Amino acid sequence: MTESRRSSQDQFRDVFDAEYDYVYHSLRRLGVQDRDLEDVCHEVFVAVYENLPRYDRTRPLKPWLFAFAFRFASDYRRLARHKTELGVPEDVVASGAPNAEDIAQSREAAALVSRALEAMPLDQRAVFVLYEIDETPMKDIADSLGIPLNTAYSRLRLARAVFAEHATRIAREESP
């Protein structure tokens, strides 16, 4: 094997090892069902491997990876058998030694967030997740999604309003 080929594979292995969890959880937040997460995640990394030589190393890696996850999640959700069903993680547990009531409240909150995210249009959800959850700078979000900066800010503003509206509605529906 040539030195440049081995180096490329080593670079990919480093990216894969460091960012697999990030891509996996990003796909989950973008609506890929739990049963398909591993497969879709591997498809994302096949595309990352193929495109790694084109990656601009002066740019942050996570927004670049999120762009792949976004495209694959978008394609995934277009399939009829995958219509929006955002899974709630089974293992949502607060840090420390929570009691049963704290665990139940944490799961309810996670379910509410998941359902509110599910109700959002995917383009708004992508910006919302990157900015509010992943704390990615807006310029990097716009670059990674291939949209103008003002469009990214507009989507975030709309996403916040949609998220708040859906979270409020869901909370009202679920309260006794």
Side-chain angles (χ1 to χ4, degrees):
M1 186 177 339
T2 67
E3 185 62 34
S4 65
R5 177 100 170 127
R6 189 171 55 79
S7 174
S8 174
Q9 289 177 344
D10 289 344
Q11 290 171 352
F12 172 75
R13 174 51 73 183
D14 292 343
V15 169
F16 182 85
D17 289 343
E19 304 301 341
Y20 181 87
D21 287 342
Y22 171 75
V23 171
Y24 183 92
H25 293 293
S26 294
L27 289 166
R28 174 183 275 162
R29 289 189 299 255
L30 291 170
V32 175
Q33 295 176 16
D34 285 345
R35 68 175 182 259
D36 299 320
L37 276 169
E38 194 170 315
D39 291 337
V40 177
C41 194
H42 283 109
E43 290 174 19
V44 167
F45 276 104
V46 167
V48 167
Y49 179 78
E50 293 168 351
N51 289 281
L52 195 56
R54 291 190 280 276
Y55 170 61
D56 178 3
R57 299 205 187 304
T58 64
R59 317 256 340 151
L61 181 61
K62 284 187 177 182
W64 187 71
L65 293 172
F66 189 89
F68 283 95
F70 175 77
R71 285 189 288 278
F72 276 83
S74 179
D75 291 346
Y76 171 88
R77 290 167 48 92
R78 280 191 203 114
L79 297 174
R81 68 179 190 264
H82 301 139
K83 288 299 179 193
T84 57
E85 179 184 312
L86 186 59
V88 177
E90 297 290 327
D91 58 351
V92 175
V93 178
S95 63
N99 60 33
E101 184 177 336
D102 290 341
I103 292 171
Q105 287 176 345
S106 177
R107 286 189 177 165
E108 288 173 13
L112 181 121
V113 168
S114 293
R115 289 185 57 207
L117 283 173
E118 182 180 314
M120 297 170 68
L122 192 58
D123 59 341
Q124 292 175 8
R125 184 190 313 186
V127 174
F128 185 84
V129 166
L130 276 169
Y131 190 81
E132 298 292 350
I133 297 173
D134 293 344
E135 299 177 350
T136 303
M138 192 57 75
K139 181 171 179 359
D140 294 337
I141 294 170
D143 290 344
S144 69
L145 296 178
I147 58 176
L149 183 60
N150 286 340
T151 300
Y153 277 113
S154 176
R155 286 184 186 174
L156 178 62
R157 181 183 54 76
L158 293 170
R160 284 174 171 163
V162 168
F163 181 83
E165 175 187 326
H166 288 293
T168 302
R169 180 184 50 78
I170 292 166
R172 260 190 265 127
E173 289 173 358
E174 293 180 355
S175 61

